[in-house]
Amino acid sequence: MAQYVFITGGVVSSLGKGLASAAIGAALQARGYRVRLRKLDPYLNVDPGTMSPTQHGEVFVTDDGAETDLDLGHYERFTGRSANQQDNITTGRIYSDIIAKERRGDYLGATVQVIPHVTDRIKAFILDGNEEFDFVLCEIGGTVGDIEALPFFEAIRQLGNELPRGDAAYIHLTLLPYIPSAGELKTKPTQHSVKELRSIGIQPDILLVRCDRPIPEAERRKLALFCNVRESAVVQGLDVQSIYDVPITYHKEGLDAELLRALGISNAPEPDLCAWEAVSDGIHNAEGEVNIAIVGKYTGLKDAYKSLSEALAHGGIANRVKVNIRWIDSEIFEKDDPSPFLEGVHGILVPGGFGKRGSKGKIAAAEFARLRGVPYFGICFGMQMACIEAARNTAGIEEAGSTEFGPTKEPVVGLMTEWVKGNKKQERSKDADKGGTMRLGAYTAQLTRGSRVADIYGERSVSERHRHRYEVNMAYRKVLEANGLLFSGVSPDGELPEIIERTDHPWFIGVQFHPELKSRPFEPHPLFASFIKAAIDQSRMV
């Protein structure tokens, strides 16, 4: 039977609950345990699919087509276990389900209330489908004191009483700020946060305290005394150079050992962290470096491209080089020549996005890469812009455009109205709801024999995750291929383009899917590993 670990946060947001949860999961895995991680988000959106990347960060997509919180990306990268629809739930989804049941009359006339109906739904989500796991780690989004999170805290409080004794543990992540004028770390914010948590009825078993310097013994004793935990349960979470140092660092601080004690496990095997040590060594003992420009429209918030930056780091690990990312707002290129911004970079990556804003700058970046022979990696929207650039500047189709930007005489990119998922045809219209209506999740692509991507993957058929509602128009395939742009990957039925590459360029690839979502530090995605290798070759030529 699974044991449950609930991770909550206090004081401020963005302390790294998702990363901490993933690191704890990795440490337990290293001891041979089977681990599942789940995220409970208090916001009213059904999922983050309609939320702005600059407000919420990246939308992480699973194989089965769920649009989820970016923390699920951390879970996958740290544990290697693919998440699914049942690993992320929101208040919006819970209320949507409950209201639908109420309208159907499923509650048989009962008054529908937060307690017990909402909390019962949350508990059912937490407990469902865990038969094959030893531990289930549940991260509660937001911070203690957020009004929208109260039903989640109440649900995990109830579970603490309903589960067998010793089968539930609570980890509370807080901040220990350093006040320069006082010259000391302050424990009061953590004390207040734990007081708030205890007022709900939850006593944390472990305090994971984020700090930028070691916690003195006096402050550690003070936290233990006033927060009602053992001194050994006050675990410092020091800042580290790389997120991939966190599992090793937290293990050295005794976090996983303290958690096992809280759960009554005394005979746990020692963890095998060799794989993590190898990753850490590859990061800290790089044998060179490359500069990669990411030309995007959401560069103001780096979390908007979280999986992307991590996949580039994985490509660096694969080649034992440090990857320096130069973030460039694509709108800059709509007014200025891109050359001063892109001179000296060894690779250009144009990521996904939505809408017309910044599209001219992305097209300019693709043109620069094509003319200068700089490795180019276009992902989703970045592939579409590369095709429009090729149509305009090499195939002579001056009015080439995308229907996403409005009516166009030459729709090189257009809205998808139907496609096949499994054995079922999917249909959409331009007036459909925005949420959950894109081509989402894993789809297969067939690769052209002898193409660069077939060599990179080492196989002819691949499965990758998608998130888009526009596609390159296959009616333009012949004219684009006649001008050096090979459609080297297509859907099994041959109707949808998946990958393009330039045959007259050292490394120029565009993909309709999001390969960054499947990259892991232990298994760097082959496209990112190859892209960084091409960037290394470019650096030797500059």
Side-chain angles (χ1 to χ4, degrees), residues 309-381:
S309 59
E310 293 309 316
L312 287 169
H314 304 161
I317 293 170
N319 290 279
R320 293 196 72 84
V321 295
K322 179 184 177 184
V323 178
N324 301 313
I325 297 178
R326 187 177 299 178
W327 301 92
I328 302 175
D329 188 332
S330 59
E331 287 189 273
I332 293 174
F333 295 168
E334 298 186 4
K335 300 176 182 178
D336 300 320
D337 177 13
S339 299
F341 299 90
L342 297 176
E343 293 287 357
V345 302
H346 308 126
I348 297 170
L349 193 152
V350 176
F354 297 92
K356 186 176 182 179
R357 182 176 66 83
S359 60
K360 289 182 180 179
K362 293 185 176 185
I363 291 170
E367 181 181 23
F368 179 92
R370 177 178 61 82
L371 294 176
R372 299 292 189 93
V374 178
Y376 177 87
F377 197 177
I379 294 176
C380 197
F381 195 80

Side-chain angles (χ1 to χ4, degrees), residues 1-7 36 38 123-131 133-138 159-160 163-164 166-171 205 259 263:
M1 183 176 176
Q3 293 178 286
Y4 293 82
V5 181
F6 301 106
I7 298 98
R36 181 178 203 174
R38 286 177 153 172
K123 289 189 292 183
F125 168 79
I126 292 171
L127 297 173
D128 184 51
N130 299 324
E131 295 79 12
F133 300 100
D134 300 307
F135 296 99
V136 179
L137 277 59
C138 296
L159 279 175
L163 289 167
D167 276 3
Y170 300 91
I171 298 176
D205 297 286
L259 174 59
L263 292 167

Side-chain angles (χ1 to χ4, degrees), residues 141-168:
T143 57
V144 174
D146 293 344
I147 191 168
E148 63 266 26
L150 285 173
F152 292 95
F153 290 118
E154 172 60 19
I156 65 173
R157 182 199 68 79
Q158 292 179 20
L159 279 175
N161 291 328
E162 294 169 9
L163 289 167
R165 186 175 296 276
D167 276 3

Side-chain angles (χ1 to χ4, degrees), residues 107-398:
Y107 292 109
L108 303 176
T111 302
V112 182
Q113 298 175 293
V114 173
I115 302 172
H117 299 97
V118 173
T119 51
D120 282 354
R121 177 68 181 87
I122 295 169
K123 289 189 292 183
F125 168 79
I126 292 171
L127 297 173
D128 184 51
N130 299 324
E131 295 79 12
E132 64 181 282
F133 300 100
D134 300 307
F135 296 99
V136 179
L137 277 59
C138 296
E139 176 196 347
I140 313 300
T143 57
V144 174
D146 293 344
I147 191 168
E148 63 266 26
L150 285 173
F152 292 95
F153 290 118
E154 172 60 19
I156 65 173
R157 182 199 68 79
Q158 292 179 20
L159 279 175
N161 291 328
E162 294 169 9
L163 289 167
R165 186 175 296 276
D167 276 3
Y170 300 91
I171 298 176
H172 191 51
L173 179 67
T174 70
L175 175 68
L176 209 62
Y178 178 77
I179 308 300
S181 59
E184 61 182 351
L185 291 163
K186 288 296 184 180
T187 65
K188 195 63 71 177
T190 294
Q191 291 181 47
H192 283 302
S193 181
V194 172
K195 181 180 179 182
E196 181 80 25
L197 191 63
R198 293 178 69 189
S199 73
I200 299 170
I202 298 172
Q203 167 62 51
D205 297 286
I206 297 171
L207 293 182
L208 178 55
V209 187
R210 287 298 311 276
C211 48
D212 64 354
R213 63 202 67 211
I215 303 174
E217 284 304 312
E219 276 69 21
R220 190 187 294 267
R221 286 194 298 270
K222 190 175 182 181
L223 283 172
L225 177 64
F226 286 100
C227 297
N228 195 34
V229 298
R230 292 180 298 185
E231 193 173 329
S232 63
V234 178
V235 180
Q236 62 183 10
L238 290 166
D239 296 342
V240 293
Q241 286 185 288
S242 166
I243 64 172
Y244 300 114
D245 291 329
V246 175
I248 299 172
T249 302
Y250 281 2
H251 170 68
K252 289 179 179 177
E253 295 294 340
L255 177 58
D256 52 319
E258 190 65 30
L259 174 59
L260 292 170
R261 279 195 291 271
L263 292 167
I265 299 172
S266 58
N267 57 348
E270 284 300 308
D272 181 1
L273 294 169
C274 291
W276 285 104
E277 290 166 354
V279 167
S280 181
D281 178 70
I283 293 169
H284 297 299
N285 296 296
E287 297 170 0
E289 58 184 53
V290 292
N291 302 318
I292 302 297
I294 294 182
V295 183
K297 61 189 292 185
Y298 310 124
T299 54
L301 180 68
K302 304 302 185 292
D303 273 358
Y305 300 115
K306 189 60 181 174
S307 290
L308 198 61
S309 59
E310 293 309 316
L312 287 169
H314 304 161
I317 293 170
N319 290 279
R320 293 196 72 84
V321 295
K322 179 184 177 184
V323 178
N324 301 313
I325 297 178
R326 187 177 299 178
W327 301 92
I328 302 175
D329 188 332
S330 59
E331 287 189 273
I332 293 174
F333 295 168
E334 298 186 4
K335 300 176 182 178
D336 300 320
D337 177 13
S339 299
F341 299 90
L342 297 176
E343 293 287 357
V345 302
H346 308 126
I348 297 170
L349 193 152
V350 176
F354 297 92
K356 186 176 182 179
R357 182 176 66 83
S359 60
K360 289 182 180 179
K362 293 185 176 185
I363 291 170
E367 181 181 23
F368 179 92
R370 177 178 61 82
L371 294 176
R372 299 292 189 93
V374 178
Y376 177 87
F377 197 177
I379 294 176
C380 197
F381 195 80
M383 167 182 162
Q384 296 169 8
M385 296 305 99
C387 288
I388 290 175
E389 189 279 324
R392 291 178 182 177
N393 299 324
T394 68
I397 308 173
E398 295 180 1

Side-chain angles (χ1 to χ4, degrees), residues 10-68:
V11 184
V12 295
S13 59
S14 300
L15 287 180
K17 284 197 311 298
L19 188 57
S21 301
I24 295 166
L28 292 172
Q29 265 193 346
R31 292 177 180 268
Y33 293 113
R34 299 164 299 170
V35 178
R36 181 178 203 174
L37 292 108
R38 286 177 153 172
K39 178 72 183 289
L40 292 80
D41 280 308
Y43 49 74
L44 284 173
N45 304 66
V46 172
D47 60 43
T50 59
M51 298 167 73
S52 168
T54 56
Q55 192 176 96
H56 183 259
E58 169 191 76
V59 174
F60 189 82
V61 179
T62 61
D63 280 334
D64 60 356
E67 293 177 283
T68 72

